[in-house]
């Protein structure tokens, strides 16, 4: 029952959960939003979507590792075309945890971000997922505002 309620809330925000995760998986860079010394902080990061998790590589000893352990964080990715005034934006909210090995597929996908660094990984569970298209979108034969 809980997941059904979350699914309908996600759809009411503009895009269905599955579409949000699919779109997010096409982006190479996103932003993690966390709290550092009781203040909001945002950091651009490379990432990969692995099932229902966002996997983010971080160098050992990173301030980000210390700040997010077990915390609820937000993660945002988008693809916006300023000239065309269109695109999409997806935000995930969930608990972050640190792991040394995110699994083979995530590790391979993130190899360009981690080569030679001995990276650790942050997994953000996709508990709440919202997304929207912005600008004009094609509906059938006509263009309409998103």
């Amino acid at each position: 029952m809980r997941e059904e309620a979350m699914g309908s809330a996600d759809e009411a925000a503009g895009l269905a959960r599955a579409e949000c995760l699919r779109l997010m998986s096409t982006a190479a860079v996103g932003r993690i939003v966390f709290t550092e010394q009781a203040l909001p902080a945002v950091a651009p990061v490379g990432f990969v979507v692995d099932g229902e998790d966002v996997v983010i590589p971080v160098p050992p000893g990173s301030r980000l590792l210390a700040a997010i352990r077990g915390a609820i964080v937000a993660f945002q990715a988008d693809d916006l075309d300023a000239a065309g005034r269109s695109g999409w934006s997806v935000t995930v909210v969930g608990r972050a945890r640190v792991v040394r090995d995110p699994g083979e597929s995530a590790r391979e996908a993130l190899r360009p971000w981690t080569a030679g660094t001995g990276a650790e990984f942050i997994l953000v569970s996709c508990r709440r997922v919202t997304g929207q298209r912005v600008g004009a979108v094609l509906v059938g034969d006509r263009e309409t505002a998103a």
Side-chain angles (χ1 to χ4, degrees):
M1 184 71 174
R2 180 182 179 143
E3 288 183 343
E4 288 177 11
M6 289 181 81
S8 62
D10 294 344
E11 290 170 7
L15 294 173
R17 181 183 183 88
E19 179 70 353
C20 287
L21 293 173
R22 185 193 70 74
L23 287 169
M24 203 166 49
S25 72
T26 67
V29 176
R31 287 159 281 303
I32 188 164
V33 182
F34 57 102
T35 302
E36 185 175 44
Q37 298 179 359
L39 297 171
V42 179
V45 291
F47 75 100
V48 67
V49 176
D50 187 21
E52 291 283 315
D53 293 323
V54 173
V55 183
I56 302 164
V58 290
S62 164
R63 69 182 177 88
L64 186 55
L65 282 174
I68 61 87
R69 284 190 198 276
I72 302 295
V73 300
F75 180 83
Q76 189 270 336
D78 57 46
D79 183 11
L80 302 171
D81 176 3
R85 296 184 180 168
S86 63
W88 57 266
S89 177
V90 173
T91 302
V92 168
V93 176
R95 185 165 305 278
R97 59 189 172 101
V98 178
V99 298
R100 293 207 184 279
D101 185 1
E104 185 65 28
S105 64
R107 197 171 49 252
E108 283 302 313
L110 292 167
R111 189 169 304 285
W113 292 96
T114 61
T117 65
E120 293 185 75
F121 300 87
I122 297 170
L123 267 64
V124 179
S125 63
C126 296
R127 300 294 295 175
R128 180 171 183 248
V129 180
T130 58
Q132 63 183 0
R133 291 200 182 273
V134 294
V137 294
L138 202 56
V139 178
D141 295 355
R142 64 184 200 277
E143 199 175 272
T144 185

